[in-house]
Amino acid sequence: YEYGTEAKIEFPQFILPFKMDKFYKKYQPKTILRAGYKFQKTPYFSNPVTFATFGYYWRGSRWVNHIINPIEIRGVKYFNFDPAFKEYIHSRYIYEYSFQDYYISALSYSYTYNDNDNKNLKNHKFLRFNFEISGNLLYAYNSFIGSEKKEGSYYTFGNIFAQYYKTDIDLRYYN
């Protein structure tokens, strides 16, 4: 089984330390705060996930949307492993990393172009480009305080933190 909850607050402007009056009127900006919790129980393990996001949304034009999340934090934990399953993942090195507790501290950006006006479902284009980078701030913090790597990784709050760059593109043409 799986259950979870999420809370979201949207402010109809950017929450910034400076004013952007012209931008506010033209691009319909929003500041979005999200937080949530999800719990998954399988026959093989239990898995709670907590997350919080602080970000901005705005319309670049009639067809273009932008989302930037300068702060995304997720915590993932695994426990209550079935003994046979735990032995299986330990015997296969590649799976072991998939079931470690970890933190993700990320920054993400999403660009969406969609010229569908909802009147005609044919002859329209859709493009979504996503970019996410994780671990740089935690790495900089660990380097600044002089933390030593343990087993080849840095740790925060007793858990490994994820470091990665990720991008994807979704391009569609409806004919």
Side-chain angles (χ1 to χ4, degrees):
Y1 62 89
E2 183 176 316
Y3 63 87
T5 185
E6 179 178 327
K8 178 171 133 177
I9 299 173
E10 290 187 11
F11 299 94
Q13 63 186 22
F14 284 165
I15 296 177
L16 296 167
F18 49 87
K19 289 243 180 217
M20 298 178 63
D21 291 330
K22 291 181 184 180
F23 190 89
Y24 288 153
K25 293 174 185 164
K26 185 174 181 181
Y27 298 110
Q28 304 167 347
K30 295 178 187 176
T31 299
I32 301 170
L33 300 168
R34 290 177 51 224
Y37 175 82
K38 178 180 85 168
F39 183 83
Q40 180 183 34
K41 172 84 171 131
T42 74
Y44 306 108
F45 60 86
S46 297
N47 171 234
V49 177
T50 56
F51 66 90
T53 303
F54 173 83
Y56 302 106
Y57 165 91
W58 71 96
R59 296 182 64 92
S61 70
R62 180 178 175 192
W63 312 116
V64 175
N65 297 324
H66 300 272
I67 300 170
I68 187 163
N69 292 314
I71 300 172
E72 285 188 40
I73 300 169
R74 282 170 265 166
V76 179
K77 186 162 184 64
Y78 292 93
F79 61 94
N80 290 340
F81 282 99
D82 173 76
F85 182 71
K86 191 168 190 168
E87 184 179 320
Y88 174 79
I89 63 173
H90 285 309
S91 69
R92 287 162 179 80
Y93 180 73
I94 195 163
Y95 295 133
E96 205 166 3
Y97 285 107
S98 297
F99 293 95
Q100 286 185 327
D101 300 343
Y102 59 89
Y103 287 102
I104 296 175
S105 170
L107 177 143
S108 67
Y109 172 74
S110 180
Y111 171 92
T112 305
Y113 174 88
N114 186 358
D115 67 3
N116 182 2
D117 60 8
N118 291 325
K119 294 177 186 169
N120 183 5
L121 296 178
K122 294 187 176 198
N123 296 320
H124 76 274
K125 297 170 280 312
F126 176 90
L127 168 68
R128 178 177 293 132
F129 169 76
N130 297 311
F131 175 77
E132 185 173 322
I133 184 170
S134 174
N136 288 356
L137 291 176
L138 292 175
Y139 175 79
Y141 171 75
N142 276 283
S143 296
F144 178 74
I145 65 170
S147 292
E148 300 271 331
K149 283 186 176 183
K150 297 176 193 170
E151 301 173 11
S153 298
Y154 287 111
Y155 284 70
T156 297
F157 307 116
N159 292 321
I160 294 172
F161 63 85
Q163 290 183 275
Y164 61 85
Y165 300 98
K166 178 174 87 170
T167 186
D168 62 86
I169 296 174
D170 181 1
L171 177 60
R172 305 176 205 169
Y173 178 73
Y174 295 92
N175 194 338

